[in-house]
Amino acid sequence: MSTPPETMTAIAITSPGGPEVLKPVRLPVPRPGPGEVLIRLAAAGVNRPDVLQRLGAYPPPPGAPETPGLEGAGTIVALGPEVSRFAIGDRVMALLAGGGYAEYAVAPAAQCLPVPDGLSMVEAAAIPETFFTVWTNVFDRGGLQPGESFLVHGGASGIGTTAIQLASALGARVFTTVGGEAKRAPLMALGAERVIDYKTEDFVEVIKAETGKKGVDVVLDMVGGDYVARNIACMATGGRLVYIAFLQGSQVEVNLMPVMLKRLTITGSTLRIRSVADKARIAASLEATVWPLLAAGKIRPVIDRSFPLADAAGAHERMDDRDHLGKIVLEM
């Protein structure tokens, strides 16, 4: 395999602002350090945290690249010291702390996973950020078990489509909310038992009716705001409410008495700032439990649209209009 070039095309955030601030630039190709690999990326996923970084509201953690992009898939072209599992030429997908909107990216080998046969690079690039996030929040922190019931808000998002498939495949009853009738059938096809249109239906009342007033065992929410109290109201005794974002705000006034009476757990997490060791543990759990489902075609990332790397602005415009179903991907 040829030696990586000295420079590459990458996308820079030229100033905080709208999608138009995303511009192609030339940057040095990074070099892998101990325990790291250099990947020639074929595709990279676009995620909501990238939008927040573009707006100046989510700076990269210390030591991470300024280039946005939290996941990608491609071929390993160089190995740093102390890498034993992978070899040059391996097809991998990787969870990144940044740098995915580029032709090359460095990733810890522990945050890389092999691309299952039959999965395209575009599909593989859409997996790491959402699958790591859903796994650690729904199954680790939320403790969702087979036979339990699960509500995920924003079912048409990358997180939503991933959570619906994983929870359904692993034996849970799945409910989700969306804004519009058009997305009902596609989400039911992914495994949602009931798709609730939040524009015309009250999800609290629907959940109570569907569960015989018991409520759901786990809720995954990225809305916040007035959803906090409403989530609590539709939860079963012993339920777990898990937060990964707050699109309507994180500061709320809420009556905690139902939390005590129903013995609820309210938790949440972020992924980007966690240690490589933490992310490696998530990767190992995914490979053991979820990779066989991917390889068998029982679950598959939902791709909304792909854009060329140079049109990252177009990809963010698509993300901003909030009409997408599944993941938006950049192709190199």
Side-chain angles (χ1 to χ4, degrees), residues 5-319:
E6 292 297 317
T7 64
M8 64 180 180
T9 298
I11 299 298
I13 301 172
T14 55
S15 64
E20 70 279 357
V21 305
L22 299 173
K23 303 289 187 183
V25 296
R26 296 296 294 180
L27 292 177
V29 171
R31 298 294 182 240
E36 295 179 334
V37 299
L38 176 65
I39 304 168
R40 185 179 69 233
L41 293 173
V46 177
N47 294 282
R48 186 65 56 186
D50 304 339
V51 173
L52 296 177
Q53 182 175 337
R54 187 199 79 213
L55 295 170
Y58 191 43
E66 293 290 332
T67 303
L70 300 177
E71 61 186 347
T75 305
I76 293 177
V77 294
L79 304 174
E82 304 168 18
V83 174
S84 58
R85 176 179 182 182
F86 295 107
I88 291 174
D90 284 352
R91 288 167 21 108
V92 296
M93 63 185 83
L95 182 73
L96 307 170
Y101 291 17
E103 293 178 306
Y104 292 83
V106 161
Q111 293 174 205
C112 296
L113 287 164
V115 177
D117 291 341
L119 213 63
S120 72
M121 284 296 192
V122 166
E123 290 173 311
I127 288 175
E129 173 68 13
T130 50
F131 277 62
F132 274 65
T133 297
V134 169
W135 187 263
T136 190
N137 285 286
V138 175
F139 298 95
D140 287 344
R141 303 195 69 79
L144 183 65
Q145 299 296 314
E148 289 192 319
S149 55
F150 171 58
L151 168 64
V152 55
H153 293 295
S157 67
I159 291 289
T161 54
T162 299
I164 290 167
Q165 291 188 80
L166 287 180
S168 177
L170 295 175
R173 293 182 68 192
V174 181
F175 306 96
T176 190
T177 59
V178 297
E181 181 65 28
K183 296 174 181 176
R184 188 184 302 272
L187 298 187
M188 291 184 72
L190 294 179
E193 177 179 324
R194 180 72 157 83
V195 178
I196 307 161
D197 184 350
Y198 65 78
K199 294 181 178 179
T200 60
E201 299 178 283
D202 180 348
F203 72 80
V204 177
E205 295 305 317
V206 172
I207 291 297
K208 287 180 178 179
E210 293 288 338
T211 61
K213 297 185 179 180
K214 175 189 174 184
V216 289
D217 299 294
V218 177
V219 176
L220 181 65
D221 188 27
M222 62 284 289
V223 180
D226 68 358
Y227 271 38
V228 177
R230 298 171 68 195
N231 287 329
I232 291 171
C234 75
M235 296 187 71
T237 299
R240 290 83 71 194
L241 172 55
V242 189
Y243 276 96
I244 56 171
F246 300 97
L247 295 177
Q248 291 184 7
S250 59
Q251 297 188 30
V252 299
E253 182 174 324
V254 63
N255 179 7
L256 294 177
M257 186 58 70
V259 175
M260 295 172 62
L261 295 176
K262 293 199 283 187
R263 302 186 295 281
L264 304 180
T265 298
I266 301 177
T267 184
S269 73
T270 59
L271 182 62
R272 192 177 191 182
I273 63 172
R274 293 173 71 169
S275 69
V276 172
D278 275 353
K279 295 172 185 176
R281 284 191 287 271
I282 300 169
S285 294
L286 282 170
E287 188 166 13
T289 306
V290 176
W291 254 233
L293 300 175
L294 284 167
K298 294 181 179 179
I299 58 174
R300 211 169 189 97
V302 177
I303 307 300
D304 177 80
R305 279 184 62 184
S306 64
F307 293 78
L309 176 63
D311 191 22
H316 273 233
E317 288 174 0
R318 178 66 177 162
M319 177 72 78

